[in-house]
Amino acid sequence: MYSRKCVASVICLLVFASFASAQEEGFEPIFDGESLKGWDGNPTHWRVEEGAIVGQTTAEAPLKHNEFLIWDGEVSDFVLKLDFRIVGEARANSGIQYRSKQMPNAGKWVVGGYQADIDGTNRYMGILYEERGRGILAQRGQEVELSADEGRLKKTVVGSVGDADAIVAEVRPDEWQSYEVRAIGNKLEHILNGKTTAKVVDNDTANAAKSGIVALQIHVGPPMRIEFKNVRLKRMNDE
């Protein structure tokens, strides 16, 4: 016969499972955990190992420019969740592109647009960067409003989402981290291990992207390895 303590534990587990399921409601995996089906990237640098997407550069196969693994789909209003880890090389640099676009004139797997930044030194981790665009749009810990002033980008820091160092205090290479990207209308938010790293309202209408592609980055520079898994997407505008 089960003890009261055992029954209580089972009930807690069931409640937790139900809660977790509710939290993930509406999300669909966009990586099958076994192959790069539905993705396109340079096979020299991208593969699948042990259920994870692996992006890697070596001294023997360096990059001439940043390259991307590109998902075969587009997003507008959405929430994207995934887990990632930088393996070994702390100087590694990567990122999650969203509402972005391919730039074939610059290279076959070149992408520009919003990026949720990833780097092994935590200098840029969590910031909002626009690849091949307006550059850094929000530093970690900032809440920013973007606008145009006589055709030039104006960045106004309107608040804080936390201490920049404290947000990444527990983030280390070789350990899995969770990343969430939210884009609803002109409001963008990055969340790392449950902590918001940056929030942006993009009122620079001439440059703000309303929709585009999703992609994962490997960065020019020293050899690096980045891994991604549990990649799932919820389209908010389909509700």
Side-chain angles (χ1 to χ4, degrees):
M1 180 178 292
Y2 288 111
S3 66
R4 289 183 179 180
K5 184 177 181 180
C6 184
V7 171
S9 297
V10 171
I11 291 173
C12 287
L13 287 172
L14 290 173
V15 170
F16 177 81
S18 176
F19 176 75
S21 177
Q23 288 291 93
E24 291 292 325
E25 183 178 357
F27 283 86
E28 295 184 1
I30 60 172
F31 165 54
D32 63 16
E34 299 177 351
S35 71
L36 293 180
K37 181 180 179 180
W39 296 79
D40 181 41
N42 187 337
T44 299
H45 300 295
W46 294 99
R47 63 186 183 277
V48 175
E49 285 185 6
E50 299 181 351
I53 294 171
V54 177
Q56 187 170 21
T57 65
T58 64
E60 296 73 28
L63 295 176
K64 294 181 180 179
H65 47 66
N66 297 345
E67 286 192 7
F68 298 82
L69 181 69
I70 303 165
W71 179 58
D72 183 21
E74 290 200 2
V75 294
S76 49
D77 288 0
F78 70 94
V79 179
L80 176 72
K81 294 182 179 182
L82 56 73
D83 301 325
F84 75 92
R85 68 176 175 182
I86 291 170
V87 179
E89 179 53 69
R91 291 176 295 170
N93 193 309
S94 181
I96 305 162
Q97 295 292 140
Y98 61 96
R99 287 188 182 176
S100 296
K101 58 185 178 182
Q102 289 185 252
M103 297 186 161
N105 290 338
K108 184 175 181 180
W109 296 289
V110 176
V111 170
Y114 295 133
Q115 180 186 115
D117 215 318
I118 296 170
D119 88 293
T121 67
N122 286 340
R123 178 179 178 182
Y124 301 108
M125 185 74 77
I127 74 169
L128 175 51
Y129 178 74
E130 189 174 62
E131 180 87 1
R132 293 181 176 265
R134 293 169 291 174
I136 296 175
L137 301 181
Q139 298 282 3
R140 186 173 60 251
Q142 291 183 339
E143 185 172 353
V144 175
E145 288 187 6
L146 306 176
S147 59
D149 183 7
E150 297 183 351
R152 303 181 69 176
L153 175 64
K154 180 180 179 181
K155 294 187 288 186
T156 304
V157 178
V158 297
S160 170
V161 296
D163 179 79
D165 293 332
I167 291 170
V168 295
E170 303 300 320
V171 178
R172 301 179 181 88
D174 296 312
E175 297 180 3
W176 287 103
Q177 319 293 332
S178 67
Y179 220 143
E180 179 176 341
V181 178
R182 303 179 64 89
I184 312 297
N186 65 347
K187 298 178 176 62
L188 315 171
E189 182 176 3
H190 300 170
I191 302 169
L192 181 66
N193 297 329
K195 300 176 181 178
T196 295
T197 63
K199 294 178 74 172
V200 170
V201 176
D202 195 348
N203 290 319
D204 180 12
T205 54
N207 296 294
K210 296 180 180 179
S211 64
I213 62 174
V214 171
L216 307 174
Q217 184 193 60
I218 48 176
H219 205 282
V220 68
M224 61 161 286
R225 176 175 171 135
I226 181 81
E227 298 180 3
F228 300 92
K229 66 179 182 179
N230 300 328
V231 188
R232 56 230 194 258
L233 176 72
K234 182 176 183 179
R235 297 179 185 272
M236 306 300 288
N237 53 311
D238 288 347
E239 295 185 339

